[in-house]
Amino acid sequence: MGKCHVISAKRMGWEQMYDYYTFPVNEYSREEAMDQFRTVEKETKKNNGEWYPYTAYEYNGEIYHSIIYSGTADESEFD
């Protein structure tokens, strides 16, 4: 068991739901772990009917509203 970077990825939608991903510190730097999430340009339609662009994040086919680097933790904490 070793240390891993923890990244919290906020799911799309109104509810505050997060997925948590871990990347071993002996294989990824903090920046490399964050870079696993590819930025994608999206658009949303506001109540006034206009479209507004925003940046989202994609990882393993899932689209996330935002990502947060949460620090490092022991892998055993995620078993």
Side-chain angles (χ1 to χ4, degrees):
M1 302 279 173
K3 288 276 190 195
C4 56
H5 299 287
V6 181
I7 297 178
S8 307
K10 183 181 180 295
R11 291 184 182 189
M12 300 300 283
W14 292 104
E15 63 279 342
Q16 296 289 315
M17 296 183 66
Y18 289 83
D19 289 334
Y20 299 93
Y21 294 97
T22 59
F23 299 90
V25 297
N26 63 342
E27 295 178 31
Y28 297 87
S29 68
R30 174 183 173 159
E31 293 75 24
E32 289 169 334
M34 294 291 285
D35 286 346
Q36 299 306 302
F37 294 81
R38 183 175 61 91
T39 57
V40 290
E41 298 302 318
K42 297 282 189 179
E43 286 187 334
T44 188
K45 194 173 194 177
K46 298 288 185 175
N47 291 339
N48 63 8
E50 291 188 43
W51 287 91
Y52 292 90
Y54 68 95
T55 300
Y57 301 88
E58 186 270 333
Y59 181 73
N60 276 353
E62 294 290 329
I63 303 293
Y64 294 99
H65 181 270
S66 60
I67 56 172
I68 301 165
Y69 181 78
S70 298
T72 58
D74 260 330
E75 282 181 289
S76 61
E77 296 177 46
F78 294 94
D79 290 340

